[in-house]
Amino acid sequence: MRTKSSLINLGFFALLNLSLLLALSLVSGCGYVSTSSYLEHIRTIRIEPIEIDDPDFTYDNVSQRPYEEVILEKLRERFNRKWSDGNDAKFTMRILDYHTKEHGFGPSGNVEMYRMSLQVEYEFIDNVRKNLIARTDNHVQIHDFYVVENRGEPPETPDQAKTLIIEELIEDLYNQLAEQW
């Protein structure tokens, strides 16, 4: 037969366990934020023509088109997976600087790796609520690439590297602005 004090102790521990479980579920749930409702009031986006200030980054040798057209097409293609064309939001982008420099050298002192960078400014405006979603004048996209074999990654030509840095830039912007990852 249980005594009154042991029953009180059992009740106390049951209440304590229940309280701990409740507190744990509240604390662990506080850090989670779904991105599915991020900018849910925006249904359309207008991506303005791309401006390029650096004369070294004007023409895509692979597609035989100006980079303004190539980047604009890729941006619209990527952002239109979430939003259709329209005026709920506006995105503008300018490429301020393009630079490629030697970044890695082999045992004999020959260049084996280059670092390519794009400095970009952009602005993303919510026209529905009349506010600024994001703006920066110093987003830097970097792409390192090898020009020799047997370095863990296949070698790339500068034209291939330019194609990849554009794809990486667009994917990073989409994840940062449209999905908030």
Side-chain angles (χ1 to χ4, degrees), residues 50-60 65-68 70-71 93 95-100 116-120 158-159 161-163 165-166 169:
I50 307 305
E51 296 179 37
I52 299 179
D53 292 347
D54 193 317
D56 295 330
F57 196 76
T58 56
Y59 195 74
D60 180 15
R65 296 173 37 209
Y67 274 119
E68 292 101 338
V70 172
I71 295 169
M93 183 171 83
I95 296 177
L96 303 171
D97 187 44
Y98 161 76
H99 192 68
T100 301
M116 183 178 288
S117 64
L118 288 175
Q119 182 184 4
V120 175
D159 287 334
K162 284 180 182 179
T163 299
I165 198 170
I166 290 169
L169 172 67

Side-chain angles (χ1 to χ4, degrees), residues 3 11 23-24 76 87 89 149 153 170 173 178:
T3 65
L24 183 61
R76 286 180 175 162
N87 290 317
E149 296 282 342
E153 294 180 26
I170 291 167
L173 288 173

Side-chain angles (χ1 to χ4, degrees), residues 34-170:
S34 170
T35 60
S36 61
S37 64
Y38 174 68
L39 300 177
E40 65 185 9
H41 63 284
I42 293 177
R43 305 242 187 274
T44 63
I45 187 171
R46 183 178 73 239
I47 299 175
E48 296 290 327
I50 307 305
E51 296 179 37
I52 299 179
D53 292 347
D54 193 317
D56 295 330
F57 196 76
T58 56
Y59 195 74
D60 180 15
N61 294 324
V62 176
S63 69
Q64 301 296 309
R65 296 173 37 209
Y67 274 119
E68 292 101 338
E69 290 178 10
V70 172
I71 295 169
L72 180 62
E73 179 182 291
K74 289 179 182 278
L75 271 169
R76 286 180 175 162
E77 181 181 293
R78 182 64 176 116
F79 277 74
N80 284 346
R81 291 181 192 170
K82 181 170 182 159
W83 299 302
S84 57
D85 289 329
N87 290 317
D88 290 350
K90 180 175 87 169
F91 180 78
T92 58
M93 183 171 83
R94 176 183 301 180
I95 296 177
L96 303 171
D97 187 44
Y98 161 76
H99 192 68
T100 301
K101 67 178 182 176
E102 299 169 344
H103 189 65
F105 300 89
S108 62
N110 295 334
V111 177
E112 293 185 351
M113 177 189 280
Y114 286 89
R115 172 162 283 178
M116 183 178 288
S117 64
L118 288 175
Q119 182 184 4
V120 175
E121 73 177 20
Y122 62 82
E123 187 174 76
F124 190 31
I125 298 174
D126 179 345
N127 289 330
V128 174
R129 295 187 178 160
K130 307 290 186 224
N131 66 355
L132 180 66
I133 298 168
R135 173 190 298 158
T136 187
D137 60 357
N138 193 27
H139 177 87
V140 179
Q141 190 73 33
I142 294 173
H143 178 75
D144 294 335
F145 64 100
Y146 287 100
V147 292
V148 296
E149 296 282 342
N150 300 320
R151 292 295 178 246
E153 294 180 26
E156 297 172 15
T157 66
D159 287 334
Q160 290 170 324
K162 284 180 182 179
T163 299
L164 289 172
I165 198 170
I166 290 169
E167 290 172 5
E168 292 164 1
L169 172 67
I170 291 167

